[in-house]
Amino acid sequence: MDRLRGWPATLSEGPVGLRPLRLGDVRVWRDTRLRNADWLRPWEPSNPETPLFKTGLGPYISMVGTLRREARQGMALPWVVTYQGRFAGQLTVGAIVWGSARSAQVGYWIDGALAGRGITPTALAMAVDHCFFTTGLHRLEANIRPENQASRRVVEKLGFREEGIRRRQLHIDGAWRDHICYALTVEDVPGGLLVQWRRARESAAHGGSPVEEV
């Protein structure tokens, strides 16, 4: 059974979109990463399979090849985040486990110049709905450093549960770092996460509790 037969999927919500990662994104991806090096470095794993800020094109091509292979094997869903049709960041659902778990982990980054417009939570809500209602996953985790307040706000405003600390889980920025585990299961969003997020923003726009954009 091809569990990822619905992929690659292109999704959109207003000016925010998700589309498959392409080899043709190499230059804009590299330029965005270099421009955002200080913004991203404290939060990203030290992993040679996922190049951070190297200027060459080879590491990116290798990364895309790895992610595409994992996608064909049903292990990953790699997306580009777009805003008004332009490259804005990256969102990857990886470490997919099938069988009795049907779980995965999600990671994301956004161009710092576009922070504060609600792009990241909108993109994440679309990805969650696709994973739960199209791909057939049951549980998604986001593991985030306690110090990364911006990323924590993204998952907290979308209703991810905080499930505790994972001690020294990943090697980041020169040391083994603790992470907070956040999670959702499909039972938490019976009507879809994107619908919940739309309602929260609409309520805020009409005088309800404010929703801080990230």
Side-chain angles (χ1 to χ4, degrees):
M1 175 182 175
D2 180 5
R3 294 186 175 92
L4 297 186
R5 62 185 181 279
W7 192 89
T10 299
L11 312 171
S12 64
E13 170 68 10
V16 180
L18 290 172
R19 64 163 174 78
L21 191 66
R22 302 169 183 160
L23 285 174
D25 295 317
V26 58
R27 295 188 184 277
V28 66
W29 185 93
R30 181 191 61 180
D31 293 346
T32 304
R33 302 279 294 182
L34 288 171
R35 181 163 40 82
N36 285 270
D38 292 340
W39 165 263
L40 298 173
R41 186 176 288 109
W43 317 121
E44 297 207 328
S46 308
N47 182 350
E49 294 291 338
T50 307
L52 299 182
F53 312 107
K54 296 179 182 179
T55 57
L57 304 183
Y60 174 84
I61 294 170
S62 176
M63 179 193 70
V64 173
T66 297
L67 289 173
R68 283 183 169 180
R69 181 170 62 253
E70 290 180 355
R72 289 193 298 269
Q73 295 169 349
M75 297 168 56
L77 290 163
W79 276 294
V80 161
V81 180
T82 61
Y83 182 67
Q84 297 179 341
R86 301 179 65 180
F87 186 101
Q90 189 174 348
L91 187 154
T92 301
V93 177
I96 296 176
V97 178
W98 294 100
S100 58
R102 289 185 172 257
S103 65
Q105 298 183 21
V106 61
Y108 46 82
W109 63 267
I110 191 76
D111 187 336
L114 298 174
R117 307 187 192 193
I119 298 169
T120 310
T122 301
L124 181 55
M126 286 192 291
V128 168
D129 285 352
H130 184 80
C131 287
F132 284 164
F133 304 115
T134 299
T135 304
L137 295 177
H138 176 255
R139 174 184 168 90
L140 285 176
E141 291 185 5
N143 295 291
I144 302 169
R145 285 188 62 184
E147 302 87 350
N148 192 346
Q149 294 295 330
S151 192
R152 291 177 63 185
R153 286 196 298 272
V154 169
V155 294
E156 287 168 355
K157 72 177 57 177
L158 290 176
F160 279 68
R161 289 184 304 280
E162 182 177 333
E163 294 191 343
I165 293 284
R166 293 186 168 175
R167 299 293 181 192
R168 295 174 290 279
Q169 182 188 25
L170 291 173
H171 193 272
I172 293 177
D173 199 25
W176 291 99
R177 310 289 186 175
D178 295 346
H179 283 66
I180 301 174
C181 177
Y182 290 90
L184 273 181
T185 66
V186 69
E187 292 88 355
D188 297 319
V189 288
L193 185 56
L194 187 58
V195 170
Q196 292 184 13
W197 173 233
R198 282 197 204 111
R199 288 173 179 164
R201 299 184 77 182
E202 289 170 359
S203 175
H206 291 88
S209 299
V211 175
E212 181 183 1
E213 302 288 9
V214 177

